[in-house]
Amino acid sequence: MSELNLFSAEQTSELLEMQDARRNFLRFLACSPLVSNATTLGSLAVLVGAIPAAALAQSYDVLRAQTRKVGDVIESPEDALNVMDFEPAAKKALPSAHFGYLATGVDGDDTLRANHEDYSKIRIKVSRLIDARKIDTSMHLLGAQYSSPIFLSPVSSQGAFHAEAEVAVARAAGAKKQHMILSTVGNSSLEDVNKAHGSPVWLQLYPTDDWKVTQALIKRAESNGVPALVLTVDRQGGRNTETLFRLRRLDDRTCVACHAGGFANEVSRKPMFSNIDVSHVTNLYGTGMSWDFVKKLRDSTKMKIFLKGIMTGDDAAKALQVGVDGIFVSNHGGRAEESLQSTIGVLPEVVKAVGGRIPVLVDGGVRRGTDVFKALALGATGVGIGRPYCWGLAAFGEPGVAAVLNILQREFETIMRQVGATSLKQITPTSVINDIAYAKR
């Protein structure tokens, strides 16, 4: 029996990581002009071997160095220092119209920017002398356990970013046991996504203006074991996506084959609508939904119902009254309306209205692990990302998505340790100072 077999699987993994860190450290030293001969290197090897692994992990970071030159745009997922590094790589990889679709907000993109910028108005309080070497980042949601509170929000038409579309995303999320929500108008089938993820994902729902189509979508979700429908309620008034329009002008490709007029053509490549009669559908988004529709949907299925797009405490209270199972604070990544209301800014108001009776999810503008921490501190159960994982998908496929998740999780775990929070329940409103003005009203 080898020495490694004496340890548990978790201990073995940690030991291998420690050994790998030592090897990398020695490899770095071997290339250094400070080490002039083999005798010196051998002595250092003995010294490094005697250093406790935890101490080495803490001190080694400052000695990390790129092994090759990296330009302005990263060429592999390993080159990324943060998730924002993936955006220029995605822009380089995509046709201008496709990147424009991913990048755009509405009007002047001010709400899009507010989503992220408002995170800088929240400060984190730290506590010292707490042993946080072992932390638990698992999220419990509707009876399921996920490895992280970071989940993948629904983004439509991911085939515009990569040939494997949502299947590549599902593989990356499933490998890390992270939660994922599939868009009604995704390019991969629910069946394929569930298989790639390893467990049923949630389905974001655009119900259309034909109730028979809505019923067919519900049936398809139920037959595939979907635990929850996420009804999007923020696309009722149309939108002015100026950034998309500007970048589309730079794209001289013929797009009629993919973007012909009429609803049937619009969803012809969307698997959720396969074998469903859509001849009576006139609109996917502006369907005139009301609270009565939410009640009707609630009564039509045993799946859990979340409302995505709630941005006020008043609407959250109404959602409770009609019996929904959860709230999703979202403004469609700043592409629903130019309200200048960030999702993190309104989150406390919604959480207060809900009063802990149902879970509250949030997305919009999350770019750092510290952003995740701040959202959890203000009451979110889970924190979604959209553009970042699509940047990774567009640039590098599944490895790019995995790298984005790795970076955000690493940053999140780092701030948890720095703060002294060893589990999600220890991240509370007292963990932050919220300077967003309209959050205090």
Side-chain angles (χ1 to χ4, degrees), residues 3-4 7 11-27 48-49 53 56 60:
E3 181 180 351
L4 291 181
F7 297 92
Q11 291 171 323
T12 299
S13 176
E14 291 177 353
L15 181 58
L16 290 173
E17 290 179 2
M18 296 170 191
Q19 292 173 344
D20 186 55
R22 288 191 176 100
R23 284 193 296 269
N24 288 335
F25 182 47
L26 290 171
R27 190 177 298 116
V48 171
L56 180 62
Y60 176 61

Side-chain angles (χ1 to χ4, degrees), residues 278-355:
V278 297
S279 61
H280 298 290
V281 174
T282 62
N283 203 307
L284 181 64
Y285 307 112
T287 61
M289 279 192 292
S290 66
W291 290 104
D292 286 338
F293 179 88
V294 177
K295 294 177 184 177
K296 186 176 182 180
L297 181 66
R298 170 69 288 166
D299 293 339
S300 68
T301 180
K302 293 182 179 179
M303 288 184 290
K304 303 297 185 182
I305 303 293
F306 276 61
L307 295 189
K308 181 176 183 291
I310 298 300
M311 291 288 290
T312 68
D314 288 344
D315 279 347
K318 292 176 184 176
L320 277 174
Q321 293 172 5
V322 299
V324 303
D325 302 285
I327 296 294
F328 199 146
V329 177
S330 179
N331 54 23
H332 227 94
R335 52 203 284 146
E337 81 287 318
E338 193 74 310
S339 64
L340 303 186
Q341 294 265 58
S342 70
T343 52
I344 191 64
V346 304
L347 176 62
E349 175 186 337
V350 172
V351 169
K352 182 179 180 181
V354 165

Side-chain angles (χ1 to χ4, degrees), residues 180-197:
M180 174 181 175
I181 305 173
L182 177 67
S183 171
T184 302
V185 284
N187 290 117
S188 300
S189 71
L190 180 56
E191 293 82 359
D192 288 344
V193 167
N194 279 348
K195 182 178 179 181
H197 189 264

